[in-house]
Amino acid sequence: MESTESSYLSSPEAARKRSPPPPKSPTSENAEKPTYIRFLVSNTAAGSVIGKGGSTITEFQSKSGARIQLSRNHEFFPGTLDRIIMVSGTIDDVIKAMELILAKLLNELNIEDNDDVEPRTKVRLIVPNSSCGSIIGKGGATIKSFIEGSQAGIKISPQDNNFYGLNDRLVTLTGTLDEQMRAIDLILSKLCEDPHYSQVMHAPFSYGATYNSVSYAATGDGGNFQNNKEDHGNSLTIGVSDEHIGLVLGRGGRNIMEISQASGARIKVSDRGDFVSGTTDRKVTITGSQRAISQAESLIMQKVAYATEKVMD
């Protein structure tokens, strides 16, 4: 989904060196109203937030006063292999919890210390499509003011029509931890003014019907998919370099099973030494409906690009 994001201008490099003013505090009326924020994390990052025996998430809830919930192990946001975290409480409690979580995840990256450059990372918020207008503002005025006020890069993805019933969009914040937190504060304060925003709080992970439009019964091969309305006779073979095939397979085949479950496609990887003609790329054959194949291909490429993306970021 992120590849199709429409970008609202990130702040210029020179502006990042300035110390922006702190965001406005929410009105007293909104300050005590229950609110929430949802964002995406990888399965690994989710484990870091939970901690051994739930110790970390319990500590963060105690320190912040907010409630922190995670989608189940294989409940992903449509079109990704990322789980969902929802933080709920008063706006101050939510902000405290977000800072604890993002600081923890930043620490897990083991980024080398550099006195001159703070690490700039990405966090993807989930925002209902109906509430995105209030963040964008007339002619993009609101989002531009948020970029200037926080110094973070802010991108809002377009509505994704590939998943029936998906009414959320991703808001990607790029910056240092401080810049991200200022952006989150500004965005959440604005969302608190939207009466429709709070309605989603009661069904934060309701994507079961939108993962794919096929019903499936998982097997050891990744899935036996049946749906009379879909044509499952389609097949696509793509090449993945031998050095990257391990990222697609995952330990014990875990990654490829997750991709199969999330997309609704059946995926087969060629044996070692069985390459696409004239290359050293392994054959990855994807079978299923056109939609399932397209999503599986996207998720596979996302896995392959992940290592490169981390270096580029």
Side-chain angles (χ1 to χ4, degrees), residues 8 140 151 196 237 243:
Y8 288 86
Q151 305 302 304
H196 301 294
T237 298
E243 63 179 311

Side-chain angles (χ1 to χ4, degrees), residues 55-75:
S55 58
T56 303
I57 196 170
T58 301
E59 177 192 348
F60 286 176
Q61 289 186 128
S62 177
K63 282 184 175 179
S64 66
R67 185 183 183 194
I68 304 171
Q69 299 168 270
L70 286 88
S71 62
R72 287 194 294 252
N73 198 28
H74 295 293
E75 284 184 344

Side-chain angles (χ1 to χ4, degrees), residues 36 128 130 194-204:
Y36 72 97
S130 58
D194 180 357
H196 301 294
Y197 180 69
S198 62
Q199 294 173 359
V200 180
M201 189 158 43
H202 306 295

